[in-house]
């Protein structure tokens, strides 16, 4: 389900901000497609109500037409760039969302290899990116981004155009 009407507006705005930053600084044609948003009956592996069921998470599974299945190297590169921007905006790349208000699950295990999972349990958008912020060596963007907290590691039809 790609319905964004029941998704936390701060999360949607943060994804728009990250997308626009990449467009302005790296590739004017960049876009990120939401593959999953509000899913009212979604449950976690442990049987609890999913954060998707609460409207607090989005999954992105397409960057500039690259998906995990049709071009995994480009998908991974742009996914890593997208994640770097979100981390600079205050999100944490982690293995578990527990106790963290703004998180990213990406390349962490078999559940997040083909999409970037982003959640925001607050109602606040992230602060503006610093004017001098640059993505770490874009040529090495295919390398894994280390998770924080001691662990290892939109345009189009989604309504996320700026």
């Amino acid at each position: 389900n790609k319905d964004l009407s029941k998704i936390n507006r701060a999360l949607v705005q943060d994804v728009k901000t990250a997308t626009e930053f990449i467009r302005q600084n790296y590739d004017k044609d960049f876009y990120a497609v939401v593959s999953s948003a509000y899913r009212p009956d979604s449950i976690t592996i442990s049987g609890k109500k999913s954060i998707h069921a609460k409207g607090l998470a989005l999954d992105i599974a397409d960057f500039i037409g690259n998906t995990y299945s049709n071009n995994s190297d480009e998908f991974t590169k742009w996914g890593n760039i997208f994640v770097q921007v979100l981390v600079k905006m205050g999100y944490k790349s982690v293995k578990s969302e527990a106790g963290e208000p703004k998180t990213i699950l990406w390349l962490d295990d078999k559940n997040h290899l083909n999409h970037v999972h982003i959640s925001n349990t607050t109602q606040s958008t992230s602060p503006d990116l610093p004017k001098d912020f640059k993505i770490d060596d874009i040529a090495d963007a295919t390398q894994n981004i280390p998770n924080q907290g001691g662990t290892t590691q939109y345009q189009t039809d989604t309504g996320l155009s700026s």
Side-chain angles (χ1 to χ4, degrees), residues 90-144:
Y91 284 75
K92 287 190 174 182
S93 180
V94 296
K95 283 195 173 220
S96 170
E97 293 170 306
E100 295 293 344
K102 294 182 176 185
T103 63
I104 304 159
L105 300 175
W106 167 240
L107 301 178
D108 60 349
D109 58 29
K110 64 183 177 188
N111 294 319
H112 298 99
L113 291 176
N114 64 353
H115 68 279
V116 177
H117 171 92
I118 311 152
S119 65
N120 180 343
T121 60
T122 75
Q123 294 300 315
S124 62
T125 55
S126 297
D128 290 338
L129 286 159
K131 298 278 188 235
D132 62 347
F133 171 61
K134 298 289 182 216
I135 295 174
D136 299 336
D137 193 359
I138 217 164
D140 287 336
T142 55
Q143 303 302 310
N144 286 348

Side-chain angles (χ1 to χ4, degrees), residues 40-68:
D41 299 323
S42 180
I43 58 169
T44 65
I45 294 170
S46 63
K48 296 178 183 174
K49 191 172 189 175
S50 164
I51 200 160
H52 282 284
K54 299 174 185 177
L56 300 173
L58 293 174
D59 292 336
I60 307 287
D62 179 333
F63 298 103
I64 320 177
N66 298 294
T67 64
Y68 181 77

Side-chain angles (χ1 to χ4, degrees), residues 11-27:
L11 172 59
V12 172
Q13 185 57 52
D14 283 349
V15 170
K16 285 181 179 181
T17 298
T19 299
E20 188 58 31
F21 177 84
I22 295 169
R23 274 194 203 125
Q24 289 176 2
N25 293 279
Y26 297 98
D27 188 330

